[in-house]
Amino acid sequence: MEIDDVLSEYFEFVMLSHRWGKGEPLLLDVQGKSIYDLGGTDGEAKLQMFCILALRRNFQWVWSDTCCIDKDSSAELQEAIGSMFSWYHWSSLTIVHLSDVFDAASLIGSDWFTRGWTLQELLASHTVLFYKHDWSLYSKGDAVNHKTDPVLLEELQNATGIAKQHLTNFSPGMDDARSRLHWASGRRTTRPEDLAYSLFGIFQVHLPIIYGECTPKALGRLLAEIISHSGDVSVLDWVGEASSFNSCFPVDLVPYQTVPHFQPISGDPAGRNDLDVEKALK
């Protein structure tokens, strides 16, 4: 085996995707410690089980958004949010813990499918395994990748409204922006601005993270970026409350729950169905 192959295999890593709960350990809680010596909070127990599962699958490295980011550093937080999609994309495995799924009846009712950040975690990851509340594998047998399980893939499509081809082979960018906004329209986040920030990786945009700016401004900056770079004016096809940032944009993602009235227009920003986009963005 080549040295490069040995090194690549050694540094393969596993990502955790989950719904934040009680007692989640932060960076300061784990720094310089063995995670197996931590106390007994639900969050610490979750982190321990995550690491144990990764070890059982012969991985040496893991990453969790609870304790692998210094959230007191604005620079590190900016970098982490900007890199998150890539980290999940390049991981060897993403372990999804569904804390509210107690049997194998269905994934659809899980709160995990209503959260903003988990959308990019699902789309970015090539290999995903779902675990129930008790950390038993969601499907029977020793599955390697639930995205290759036809039955479970059907469940994922029903739970998310995202076509199977996007679930298994998603490319970040601005193609068919209206559909991507539709996927996110029924989701919510704890911090209001994260409604927009959690989509930066999906649309492959790099914008400043400014907590405190409020949802309309964060979302407005994202929508303006999409239009100016892609020329896709289908994002202007909505009905509802207008944003204080710009009346051309909605105040939140809820209006995108409806199917667009016309087909997305992308490509050269010059061909925009006679719409003065520059004027709209002022």
Side-chain angles (χ1 to χ4, degrees), residues 24-91:
E24 298 286 359
L26 304 179
L27 177 63
L28 289 177
D29 298 320
V30 303
Q31 218 164 21
K33 303 174 185 177
S34 167
I35 63 157
Y36 304 109
D37 294 333
L38 297 178
T41 69
D42 291 346
E44 290 165 344
K46 174 169 52 178
L47 182 63
Q48 291 165 351
M49 280 303 304
F50 167 54
C51 292
I52 289 171
L53 286 175
L55 283 171
R56 287 176 179 171
R57 292 183 177 272
N58 299 315
F59 292 102
Q60 304 296 318
W61 305 93
V62 298
W63 190 93
S64 169
D65 59 350
T66 57
C67 60
C68 294
I69 303 173
D70 182 359
K71 297 177 178 64
D72 292 328
S73 168
S74 58
E76 183 167 334
L77 188 60
Q78 172 87 39
E79 181 182 1
I81 290 177
S83 305
M84 198 82 68
F85 188 96
S86 296
W87 293 344
Y88 278 92
H89 178 77
W90 291 111
S91 68

Side-chain angles (χ1 to χ4, degrees), residues 232-278:
D232 186 350
V233 297
S234 67
V235 301
L236 300 177
D237 179 27
W238 58 273
V239 176
E241 183 181 353
S243 169
S244 57
F245 173 76
N246 187 306
S247 61
C248 291
F249 302 140
V251 70
D252 53 30
L253 292 173
V254 172
Y256 293 119
Q257 291 181 3
T258 60
V259 177
H261 299 152
F262 59 87
Q263 291 299 313
I265 301 172
S266 59
D268 184 357
R272 295 183 183 176
N273 202 28
D274 297 325
L275 179 69
D276 190 347
V277 176
E278 292 300 325

Side-chain angles (χ1 to χ4, degrees), residues 13-33:
F13 61 96
V14 182
M15 303 288 282
L16 174 65
S17 179
H18 65 118
R19 174 77 171 92
W20 276 52
K22 297 179 180 179
E24 298 286 359
L26 304 179
L27 177 63
L28 289 177
D29 298 320
V30 303
Q31 218 164 21
K33 303 174 185 177

